Amino acid sequence: MFSQEMLTIPEVMKHFKISDSSVRRLLKSGELKSIKVGMQRRIKPEWLKEYEVTQMKGEHQRG
């Protein structure tokens, strides 16, 4: 059914080396897209990449 795996909040935490509350803040603000599956949030790897690209663009503009 799904062609790619979805990431969990703990996996995103490990990827970015940030806390649970930081990931949830990104999700709540809409900076990082997610879908709700049952009681849990799932993040597509492509959404993670989109977020990383927007962050790199922001760093480039500031720096």
Side-chain angles (χ1 to χ4, degrees):
M1 183 179 244
F2 288 102
S3 61
Q4 64 184 155
E5 291 229 4
M6 303 284 267
L7 302 169
T8 62
I9 289 176
E11 290 169 327
V12 174
M13 289 169 52
K14 186 176 179 179
H15 178 81
F16 286 128
K17 297 182 173 107
I18 59 176
S19 69
D20 179 86
S21 60
S22 294
V23 174
R24 291 181 188 278
R25 198 174 313 117
L26 292 171
L27 297 174
K28 187 174 181 177
S29 72
E31 291 181 71
L32 180 59
K33 296 178 192 175
S34 70
I35 60 167
K36 195 167 185 179
V37 179
M39 297 293 290
Q40 298 182 343
R41 288 275 165 195
R42 295 282 192 248
I43 300 96
K44 288 184 178 183
E46 64 197 52
W47 295 339
L48 199 65
K49 188 66 175 171
E50 286 174 14
Y51 174 75
E52 289 175 327
V53 168
T54 59
Q55 292 303 299
M56 288 190 300
K57 285 181 182 176
E59 287 296 317
H60 180 65
Q61 290 173 354
R62 283 182 259 165

